PDB file of all heavy atoms in Angstrom:
ATOM      1  N   LEU T 142     -25.858  -3.371 -26.807  1.00 98.00           N
ATOM      2  CA  LEU T 142     -26.710  -4.227 -25.986  1.00 98.00           C
ATOM      3  C   LEU T 142     -25.982  -5.500 -25.576  1.00 98.00           C
ATOM      4  O   LEU T 142     -25.387  -6.184 -26.405  1.00 98.00           O
ATOM      5  CB  LEU T 142     -27.987  -4.599 -26.760  1.00 98.00           C
ATOM      6  CG  LEU T 142     -28.845  -3.419 -27.209  1.00 98.00           C
ATOM      7  CD1 LEU T 142     -30.133  -3.908 -27.857  1.00 98.00           C
ATOM      8  CD2 LEU T 142     -29.170  -2.496 -26.046  1.00 98.00           C
ATOM      9  N   LYS T 143     -26.043  -5.804 -24.285  1.00 98.00           N
ATOM     10  CA  LYS T 143     -25.408  -7.031 -23.780  1.00 98.00           C
ATOM     11  C   LYS T 143     -26.211  -8.225 -24.284  1.00 98.00           C
ATOM     12  O   LYS T 143     -27.397  -8.363 -23.994  1.00 98.00           O
ATOM     13  CB  LYS T 143     -25.376  -7.007 -22.252  1.00 98.00           C
ATOM     14  CG  LYS T 143     -24.501  -5.884 -21.743  1.00 98.00           C
ATOM     15  CD  LYS T 143     -24.113  -6.049 -20.284  1.00 98.00           C
ATOM     16  CE  LYS T 143     -23.134  -4.933 -19.930  1.00 98.00           C
ATOM     17  NZ  LYS T 143     -22.474  -5.089 -18.678  1.00 98.00           N
ATOM     18  N   TRP T 144     -25.526  -9.091 -24.997  1.00 98.00           N
ATOM     19  CA  TRP T 144     -26.215 -10.139 -25.749  1.00 98.00           C
ATOM     20  C   TRP T 144     -26.782 -11.247 -24.862  1.00 98.00           C
ATOM     21  O   TRP T 144     -27.657 -12.004 -25.298  1.00 98.00           O
ATOM     22  CB  TRP T 144     -25.261 -10.758 -26.781  1.00 98.00           C
ATOM     23  CG  TRP T 144     -23.969 -11.245 -26.190  1.00 98.00           C
ATOM     24  CD1 TRP T 144     -22.805 -10.541 -26.083  1.00 98.00           C
ATOM     25  CD2 TRP T 144     -23.698 -12.525 -25.614  1.00 98.00           C
ATOM     26  NE1 TRP T 144     -21.839 -11.305 -25.484  1.00 98.00           N
ATOM     27  CE2 TRP T 144     -22.353 -12.522 -25.182  1.00 98.00           C
ATOM     28  CE3 TRP T 144     -24.471 -13.676 -25.428  1.00 98.00           C
ATOM     29  CZ2 TRP T 144     -21.764 -13.630 -24.572  1.00 98.00           C
ATOM     30  CZ3 TRP T 144     -23.884 -14.775 -24.833  1.00 98.00           C
ATOM     31  CH2 TRP T 144     -22.548 -14.737 -24.401  1.00 98.00           C
ATOM     32  N   TYR T 145     -26.278 -11.353 -23.617  1.00 98.00           N
ATOM     33  CA  TYR T 145     -26.744 -12.460 -22.779  1.00 98.00           C
ATOM     34  C   TYR T 145     -27.945 -12.066 -21.914  1.00 98.00           C
ATOM     35  O   TYR T 145     -28.467 -12.877 -21.158  1.00 98.00           O
ATOM     36  CB  TYR T 145     -25.603 -12.970 -21.885  1.00 98.00           C
ATOM     37  CG  TYR T 145     -24.972 -11.884 -21.063  1.00 98.00           C
ATOM     38  CD1 TYR T 145     -25.541 -11.457 -19.871  1.00 98.00           C
ATOM     39  CD2 TYR T 145     -23.815 -11.240 -21.501  1.00 98.00           C
ATOM     40  CE1 TYR T 145     -24.987 -10.451 -19.137  1.00 98.00           C
ATOM     41  CE2 TYR T 145     -23.242 -10.227 -20.764  1.00 98.00           C
ATOM     42  CZ  TYR T 145     -23.830  -9.833 -19.585  1.00 98.00           C
ATOM     43  OH  TYR T 145     -23.270  -8.813 -18.862  1.00 98.00           O
ATOM     44  N   ILE T 146     -28.357 -10.810 -22.004  1.00 98.00           N
ATOM     45  CA  ILE T 146     -29.557 -10.383 -21.267  1.00 98.00           C
ATOM     46  C   ILE T 146     -30.764 -10.628 -22.174  1.00 98.00           C
ATOM     47  O   ILE T 146     -30.743 -10.264 -23.345  1.00 98.00           O
ATOM     48  CB  ILE T 146     -29.472  -8.891 -20.888  1.00 98.00           C
ATOM     49  CG1 ILE T 146     -28.255  -8.650 -19.988  1.00 98.00           C
ATOM     50  CG2 ILE T 146     -30.742  -8.456 -20.154  1.00 98.00           C
ATOM     51  CD1 ILE T 146     -28.118  -7.195 -19.522  1.00 98.00           C
ATOM     52  N   PRO T 147     -31.818 -11.273 -21.644  1.00 98.00           N
ATOM     53  CA  PRO T 147     -32.973 -11.573 -22.494  1.00 98.00           C
ATOM     54  C   PRO T 147     -33.559 -10.306 -23.127  1.00 98.00           C
ATOM     55  O   PRO T 147     -33.538  -9.222 -22.527  1.00 98.00           O
ATOM     56  CB  PRO T 147     -33.973 -12.209 -21.519  1.00 98.00           C
ATOM     57  CG  PRO T 147     -33.144 -12.734 -20.398  1.00 98.00           C
ATOM     58  CD  PRO T 147     -31.970 -11.812 -20.281  1.00 98.00           C
ATOM     59  N   ILE T 148     -34.109 -10.472 -24.321  1.00 98.00           N
ATOM     60  CA  ILE T 148     -34.617  -9.331 -25.093  1.00 98.00           C
ATOM     61  C   ILE T 148     -35.650  -8.542 -24.292  1.00 98.00           C
ATOM     62  O   ILE T 148     -35.630  -7.308 -24.241  1.00 98.00           O
ATOM     63  CB  ILE T 148     -35.237  -9.820 -26.425  1.00 98.00           C
ATOM     64  CG1 ILE T 148     -34.121 -10.374 -27.318  1.00 98.00           C
ATOM     65  CG2 ILE T 148     -35.985  -8.694 -27.118  1.00 98.00           C
ATOM     66  CD1 ILE T 148     -34.621 -10.974 -28.620  1.00 98.00           C
ATOM     67  N   GLY T 149     -36.575  -9.250 -23.642  1.00 98.00           N
ATOM     68  CA  GLY T 149     -37.627  -8.573 -22.873  1.00 98.00           C
ATOM     69  C   GLY T 149     -37.049  -7.729 -21.747  1.00 98.00           C
ATOM     70  O   GLY T 149     -37.544  -6.635 -21.457  1.00 98.00           O
ATOM     71  N   VAL T 150     -36.000  -8.228 -21.117  1.00 98.00           N
ATOM     72  CA  VAL T 150     -35.402  -7.481 -20.007  1.00 98.00           C
ATOM     73  C   VAL T 150     -34.729  -6.215 -20.530  1.00 98.00           C
ATOM     74  O   VAL T 150     -34.864  -5.135 -19.940  1.00 98.00           O
ATOM     75  CB  VAL T 150     -34.380  -8.362 -19.250  1.00 98.00           C
ATOM     76  CG1 VAL T 150     -33.712  -7.578 -18.140  1.00 98.00           C
ATOM     77  CG2 VAL T 150     -35.062  -9.602 -18.695  1.00 98.00           C
ATOM     78  N   LEU T 151     -34.021  -6.325 -21.627  1.00 98.00           N
ATOM     79  CA  LEU T 151     -33.385  -5.140 -22.219  1.00 98.00           C
ATOM     80  C   LEU T 151     -34.442  -4.096 -22.572  1.00 98.00           C
ATOM     81  O   LEU T 151     -34.269  -2.897 -22.321  1.00 98.00           O
ATOM     82  CB  LEU T 151     -32.596  -5.523 -23.463  1.00 98.00           C
ATOM     83  CG  LEU T 151     -31.292  -6.278 -23.212  1.00 98.00           C
ATOM     84  CD1 LEU T 151     -30.743  -6.856 -24.511  1.00 98.00           C
ATOM     85  CD2 LEU T 151     -30.246  -5.369 -22.575  1.00 98.00           C
ATOM     86  N   PHE T 152     -35.551  -4.558 -23.135  1.00 98.00           N
ATOM     87  CA  PHE T 152     -36.623  -3.630 -23.511  1.00 98.00           C
ATOM     88  C   PHE T 152     -37.203  -2.945 -22.269  1.00 98.00           C
ATOM     89  O   PHE T 152     -37.406  -1.733 -22.239  1.00 98.00           O
ATOM     90  CB  PHE T 152     -37.712  -4.410 -24.253  1.00 98.00           C
ATOM     91  CG  PHE T 152     -38.835  -3.567 -24.800  1.00 98.00           C
ATOM     92  CD1 PHE T 152     -38.587  -2.531 -25.682  1.00 98.00           C
ATOM     93  CD2 PHE T 152     -40.149  -3.823 -24.433  1.00 98.00           C
ATOM     94  CE1 PHE T 152     -39.624  -1.752 -26.198  1.00 98.00           C
ATOM     95  CE2 PHE T 152     -41.190  -3.060 -24.949  1.00 98.00           C
ATOM     96  CZ  PHE T 152     -40.937  -2.023 -25.835  1.00 98.00           C
ATOM     97  N   ASP T 153     -37.462  -3.719 -21.232  1.00 98.00           N
ATOM     98  CA  ASP T 153     -38.046  -3.163 -20.011  1.00 98.00           C
ATOM     99  C   ASP T 153     -37.106  -2.184 -19.332  1.00 98.00           C
ATOM    100  O   ASP T 153     -37.556  -1.209 -18.714  1.00 98.00           O
ATOM    101  CB  ASP T 153     -38.364  -4.291 -19.018  1.00 98.00           C
ATOM    102  CG  ASP T 153     -39.486  -5.189 -19.498  1.00 98.00           C
ATOM    103  OD1 ASP T 153     -40.213  -4.790 -20.437  1.00 98.00           O
ATOM    104  OD2 ASP T 153     -39.630  -6.298 -18.946  1.00 98.00           O
ATOM    105  N   LEU T 154     -35.824  -2.472 -19.446  1.00 98.00           N
ATOM    106  CA  LEU T 154     -34.839  -1.656 -18.743  1.00 98.00           C
ATOM    107  C   LEU T 154     -34.511  -0.377 -19.503  1.00 98.00           C
ATOM    108  O   LEU T 154     -34.427   0.709 -18.918  1.00 98.00           O
ATOM    109  CB  LEU T 154     -33.556  -2.490 -18.547  1.00 98.00           C
ATOM    110  CG  LEU T 154     -32.392  -1.795 -17.859  1.00 98.00           C
ATOM    111  CD1 LEU T 154     -32.727  -1.477 -16.416  1.00 98.00           C
ATOM    112  CD2 LEU T 154     -31.148  -2.686 -17.935  1.00 98.00           C
ATOM    113  N   LEU T 155     -34.308  -0.499 -20.815  1.00 98.00           N
ATOM    114  CA  LEU T 155     -33.775   0.623 -21.579  1.00 98.00           C
ATOM    115  C   LEU T 155     -34.846   1.524 -22.170  1.00 98.00           C
ATOM    116  O   LEU T 155     -34.592   2.688 -22.459  1.00 98.00           O
ATOM    117  CB  LEU T 155     -32.866   0.096 -22.700  1.00 98.00           C
ATOM    118  CG  LEU T 155     -31.691  -0.747 -22.217  1.00 98.00           C
ATOM    119  CD1 LEU T 155     -30.913  -1.287 -23.402  1.00 98.00           C
ATOM    120  CD2 LEU T 155     -30.780   0.057 -21.303  1.00 98.00           C
ATOM    121  N   CYS T 156     -36.037   0.974 -22.392  1.00 97.00           N
ATOM    122  CA  CYS T 156     -37.112   1.753 -23.000  1.00 97.00           C
ATOM    123  C   CYS T 156     -38.083   2.156 -21.900  1.00 97.00           C
ATOM    124  O   CYS T 156     -39.050   1.454 -21.643  1.00 97.00           O
ATOM    125  CB  CYS T 156     -37.841   0.871 -24.011  1.00 97.00           C
ATOM    126  SG  CYS T 156     -37.728   1.480 -25.656  1.00 97.00           S
ATOM    127  N   ALA T 157     -37.823   3.272 -21.262  1.00 96.00           N
ATOM    128  CA  ALA T 157     -38.669   3.666 -20.135  1.00 96.00           C
ATOM    129  C   ALA T 157     -40.116   3.770 -20.575  1.00 96.00           C
ATOM    130  O   ALA T 157     -41.029   3.207 -19.971  1.00 96.00           O
ATOM    131  CB  ALA T 157     -38.188   5.005 -19.579  1.00 96.00           C
ATOM    132  N   ASP T 158     -40.318   4.484 -21.661  1.00 95.00           N
ATOM    133  CA  ASP T 158     -41.641   4.562 -22.249  1.00 95.00           C
ATOM    134  C   ASP T 158     -41.638   3.596 -23.414  1.00 95.00           C
ATOM    135  O   ASP T 158     -41.003   3.863 -24.431  1.00 95.00           O
ATOM    136  CB  ASP T 158     -41.888   5.999 -22.730  1.00 95.00           C
ATOM    137  CG  ASP T 158     -43.253   6.160 -23.348  1.00 95.00           C
ATOM    138  OD1 ASP T 158     -44.147   5.364 -22.996  1.00 95.00           O
ATOM    139  OD2 ASP T 158     -43.428   7.069 -24.169  1.00 95.00           O
ATOM    140  N   PRO T 159     -42.297   2.453 -23.283  1.00 95.00           N
ATOM    141  CA  PRO T 159     -42.158   1.396 -24.285  1.00 95.00           C
ATOM    142  C   PRO T 159     -42.401   1.886 -25.697  1.00 95.00           C
ATOM    143  O   PRO T 159     -43.440   2.469 -26.005  1.00 95.00           O
ATOM    144  CB  PRO T 159     -43.209   0.374 -23.862  1.00 95.00           C
ATOM    145  CG  PRO T 159     -43.414   0.611 -22.419  1.00 95.00           C
ATOM    146  CD  PRO T 159     -43.222   2.088 -22.207  1.00 95.00           C
ATOM    147  N   GLU T 160     -41.426   1.648 -26.551  1.00 94.00           N
ATOM    148  CA  GLU T 160     -41.458   2.120 -27.921  1.00 94.00           C
ATOM    149  C   GLU T 160     -41.849   0.919 -28.773  1.00 94.00           C
ATOM    150  O   GLU T 160     -41.192  -0.110 -28.734  1.00 94.00           O
ATOM    151  CB  GLU T 160     -40.011   2.528 -28.249  1.00 94.00           C
ATOM    152  CG  GLU T 160     -39.758   3.452 -29.373  1.00 94.00           C
ATOM    153  CD  GLU T 160     -38.237   3.642 -29.530  1.00 94.00           C
ATOM    154  OE1 GLU T 160     -37.624   4.238 -28.630  1.00 94.00           O
ATOM    155  OE2 GLU T 160     -37.690   3.150 -30.534  1.00 94.00           O
ATOM    156  N   ARG T 161     -42.944   1.048 -29.493  1.00 94.00           N
ATOM    157  CA  ARG T 161     -43.345  -0.087 -30.335  1.00 94.00           C
ATOM    158  C   ARG T 161     -43.534   0.390 -31.752  1.00 94.00           C
ATOM    159  O   ARG T 161     -44.462   1.140 -32.000  1.00 94.00           O
ATOM    160  CB  ARG T 161     -44.617  -0.719 -29.801  1.00 94.00           C
ATOM    161  CG  ARG T 161     -44.390  -1.390 -28.462  1.00 94.00           C
ATOM    162  CD  ARG T 161     -45.641  -2.124 -27.979  1.00 94.00           C
ATOM    163  NE  ARG T 161     -45.370  -2.866 -26.751  1.00 94.00           N
ATOM    164  CZ  ARG T 161     -45.609  -2.403 -25.528  1.00 94.00           C
ATOM    165  NH1 ARG T 161     -46.118  -1.188 -25.381  1.00 94.00           N
ATOM    166  NH2 ARG T 161     -45.334  -3.118 -24.469  1.00 94.00           N
ATOM    167  N   PRO T 162     -42.792  -0.017 -32.760  1.00 97.00           N
ATOM    168  CA  PRO T 162     -41.710  -0.986 -32.594  1.00 97.00           C
ATOM    169  C   PRO T 162     -40.483  -0.350 -31.944  1.00 97.00           C
ATOM    170  O   PRO T 162     -40.330   0.866 -31.951  1.00 97.00           O
ATOM    171  CB  PRO T 162     -41.401  -1.398 -34.032  1.00 97.00           C
ATOM    172  CG  PRO T 162     -41.727  -0.193 -34.846  1.00 97.00           C
ATOM    173  CD  PRO T 162     -42.895   0.463 -34.152  1.00 97.00           C
ATOM    174  N   TRP T 163     -39.643  -1.188 -31.400  1.00 98.00           N
ATOM    175  CA  TRP T 163     -38.431  -0.737 -30.752  1.00 98.00           C
ATOM    176  C   TRP T 163     -37.369  -0.544 -31.832  1.00 98.00           C
ATOM    177  O   TRP T 163     -37.019  -1.480 -32.544  1.00 98.00           O
ATOM    178  CB  TRP T 163     -37.998  -1.780 -29.731  1.00 98.00           C
ATOM    179  CG  TRP T 163     -36.903  -1.357 -28.820  1.00 98.00           C
ATOM    180  CD1 TRP T 163     -36.512  -0.059 -28.553  1.00 98.00           C
ATOM    181  CD2 TRP T 163     -36.056  -2.199 -28.045  1.00 98.00           C
ATOM    182  NE1 TRP T 163     -35.483  -0.074 -27.652  1.00 98.00           N
ATOM    183  CE2 TRP T 163     -35.173  -1.368 -27.311  1.00 98.00           C
ATOM    184  CE3 TRP T 163     -35.950  -3.576 -27.884  1.00 98.00           C
ATOM    185  CZ2 TRP T 163     -34.222  -1.867 -26.445  1.00 98.00           C
ATOM    186  CZ3 TRP T 163     -34.996  -4.081 -27.018  1.00 98.00           C
ATOM    187  CH2 TRP T 163     -34.134  -3.231 -26.303  1.00 98.00           C
TER     188      TRP T 163
END
Side-chain angles (χ1 to χ4, degrees):
Chain T
L142 301 185
K143 295 197 175 192
W144 54 268
Y145 54 82
I146 299 182
I148 292 176
V150 177
L151 287 168
F152 185 58
D153 292 345
L154 179 66
L155 301 176
C156 242
D158 180 25
E160 200 183 293
R161 293 185 175 95
W163 190 19

